[in-house]
Amino acid sequence: MNGTGDRRTRERLSLLVLALAQLVIALDYNIVYVALPDMGKDLGFAARDLQWVVSAYVVATGGLLLLGGRTADLLGRRRTFSAAALIYAGSSLVGALSESAGVLVAVRAVQGIGGALLFPATLSLINTVYAEGPARNRALAVWGAAGAGGLCFGSLLGGVLVEAFGWPSVFLVNVPLAAALAWAGWTLFPADGPPRGARRLDVTGALTATGGVTLLVLLLVQAPQAGWSSPSALLLAVLSALLLTLFAVVEARSRDPLVPARLFRHRRLLAAMTTTALYSATFGSLPYFLTLYFQTVRGYGAFGTGLAFLVPAVVTAIGTKAGERAVAVVGVRRMLASGMALGAAGATALGLALGPDGPYALLLPGVLLLSLGQGAAWTGMWIAAGSGVPAGDQGVASGLASTTLQVGGAVGLALLVALAGGSGQETSGDALLTGIRTAVFAVAAGLGCGALLMAAVRRTVTVP
């Protein structure tokens, strides 16, 4: 009895650590948004270069997720988790002490490396510590609530910290959290076996995949400003295509590939990868446009903008739990379709409510529906990504799904910004509001198509 009780207590504490890790990842991505103006002034960023505080993180994370997932499989999930948390702690401390724009951008890239290791390690730990079914679904719901809530709470926390202590505080807050995670993970998680050996790491595949995906994400981040036909964009596109083609050739011939070919025959995983890309392109792109709306159109300060994201944070967290319960009743596929349909309805209502003035309450119907659907879909897509995948492949499966999450977000934001007429910090007035509305309605259309697609895959893809 004591043994069973101790095991359950350890599992609960482990889940708390895994949820906090996801919270740190989400906060680290989102907390810097409201601090960008102050960073730009203090460190002398050129106006067009300030985006790299965000983009450096996105590029490094997106490019290295596959390698991070395979590292967790081969070197050990506990080792990878603790090492990644220490990378976060160290780079965050350096970021807080930065005195130049170049150092800060480099710090964000290192944090992105930490994220590329930590995210798949965390997800694969959940998918191996907790048995597939209700126990894993509950764990994913808690983990999802922490992540989805962190994306929204990051804006609120960032606003409070910047106004009270200045922009370095958005980095300092990570230091004790990440250090504590490294210690707790090493203490609580199951011990790793001996490393499966460097000989089993497909070095050529790792280099070509990392290079190809990194250049692809860099292209998607840079091309909207530089122009899709600019020499730099064309060069990035050609190099990325060459490296990814070489990666495919290497994987087909490798005895121990970075991404085993059997995973591409796993229909649930492929469906989950498609869903994560769509999720990030739609739900994940909205904070950019809503931040523009609150700060530039409505004139909110850093704290006011953060406060405006409080309701979405709470409702999104509720949605992750509702999604877990809905899975037990209707299954993952129907729940995902319903979450996207709720998101489409919410985005439509939100787009109609956006205006140059008026109370925040006018936005609430759309915000509530959108956030509820976002939380439910977040839980469902990760349940689908881990279902039926062998324990030894959980890391790379998590890396695949999270890579499509990053690439989908970069593609979606680039397309939405272009569709919105290049809406950005330099745009103002009616043109900006019209662009934001256009982007929100496009998100609604994308989610509506996703809901219809998910409802139509019943006979072609078996999703539990």
Side-chain angles (χ1 to χ4, degrees):
M1 185 69 176
N2 288 337
T4 301
D6 290 344
R7 179 177 58 80
R8 290 177 178 173
T9 299
R10 194 179 188 88
E11 286 184 353
R12 292 191 185 101
L13 290 174
S14 296
L15 181 56
L16 175 62
V17 172
L18 292 166
L20 288 175
Q22 179 62 2
L23 180 66
V24 167
I25 293 171
L27 285 175
D28 198 49
Y29 174 78
N30 213 37
I31 199 172
V32 300
Y33 275 106
V34 295
L36 288 177
D38 288 348
M39 291 177 187
K41 292 176 184 176
D42 287 356
L43 300 181
F45 274 93
R48 67 179 300 163
D49 292 336
L50 191 57
Q51 65 152 335
W52 283 104
V53 176
V54 175
S55 299
Y57 184 92
V58 173
V59 170
T61 304
L64 292 167
L65 277 167
L66 273 178
L67 183 58
R70 195 58 172 162
T71 299
D73 286 336
L74 297 183
L75 300 185
R77 299 175 183 89
R78 186 178 72 164
R79 294 187 187 97
T80 304
F81 180 94
S82 294
L86 288 175
I87 290 173
Y88 259 114
S91 58
S92 295
L93 181 60
V94 175
L97 301 175
S98 297
E99 295 183 355
S100 72
V103 170
L104 188 63
V105 170
V107 162
R108 289 292 286 168
V110 175
Q111 286 184 320
I113 295 171
L117 293 168
L118 189 59
F119 189 95
T122 300
L123 190 55
S124 61
L125 277 165
I126 289 177
N127 288 336
T128 52
V129 171
Y130 302 93
E132 185 171 340
R136 184 186 295 179
N137 294 351
R138 282 193 295 272
L140 286 169
V142 173
W143 172 82
L151 288 174
C152 296
F153 277 121
S155 298
L156 177 59
L157 180 60
V160 172
L161 290 175
V162 169
E163 292 202 354
F165 306 107
W167 67 261
S169 60
V170 303
F171 292 98
L172 282 175
V173 72
N174 276 334
V175 177
L177 285 174
L181 285 174
W183 173 81
W186 192 261
T187 303
L188 289 171
F189 297 149
D192 298 314
R196 290 162 65 182
R199 288 179 299 175
R200 301 210 49 194
L201 179 61
D202 177 12
V203 177
T204 305
L207 291 175
T208 53
T210 299
V213 175
T214 300
L215 291 175
L216 174 60
V217 177
L218 183 59
L219 168 67
L220 296 170
V221 168
Q222 184 175 317
Q225 284 193 341
W228 291 95
S229 59
S230 65
S232 61
L234 293 174
L235 179 62
L236 287 172
V238 170
L239 290 176
S240 176
L242 286 174
L243 284 174
L244 291 175
T245 301
L246 181 59
F247 169 68
V249 172
V250 168
E251 294 301 277
R253 297 180 177 182
S254 175
R255 296 178 59 185
D256 189 19
L258 179 70
V259 181
R262 61 182 176 273
L263 290 179
F264 291 107
R265 296 191 293 271
H266 197 292
R267 292 184 175 183
R268 293 178 185 176
L269 178 58
L270 293 178
M273 290 167 61
T274 302
T275 304
T276 59
L278 179 61
Y279 180 100
S280 188
T282 52
F283 286 121
S285 297
L286 278 176
Y288 172 84
F289 294 100
L290 290 180
T291 300
L292 279 179
Y293 174 72
F294 290 132
Q295 290 192 335
T296 307
V297 177
R298 302 299 294 272
Y300 291 5
F303 177 73
T305 300
L307 198 61
F309 281 101
L310 180 59
V311 172
V314 173
V315 178
T316 300
I318 293 171
T320 60
K321 186 62 178 177
E324 179 247 323
R325 292 181 176 177
V327 166
V329 178
V330 301
V332 174
R333 182 183 59 82
R334 289 192 180 94
M335 193 277 291
L336 281 171
S338 299
M340 290 182 184
L342 278 176
T348 301
L350 181 62
L352 293 172
L354 293 175
D357 49 38
Y360 178 79
L362 288 177
L363 307 179
L364 283 179
V367 165
L368 293 174
L369 288 174
L370 187 62
S371 302
L372 188 62
Q374 180 177 0
W378 177 266
T379 299
M381 69 188 188
W382 296 116
I383 291 174
S387 296
V389 176
D393 290 332
Q394 282 289 347
V396 71
S398 300
L400 284 168
S402 48
T403 296
T404 54
L405 184 77
Q406 291 289 332
V407 174
V411 172
L413 185 58
L415 292 176
L416 288 170
V417 168
L419 187 62
S423 294
Q425 299 288 351
E426 70 283 356
T427 312
S428 61
D430 292 340
L432 176 60
L433 181 57
T434 299
I436 292 171
R437 280 203 197 103
T438 300
V440 174
F441 285 135
V443 167
L447 288 171
C449 291
L452 292 174
L453 179 63
M454 188 56 62
V457 298
R458 181 176 183 179
R459 294 185 178 180
T460 58
V461 179
T462 303
V463 181

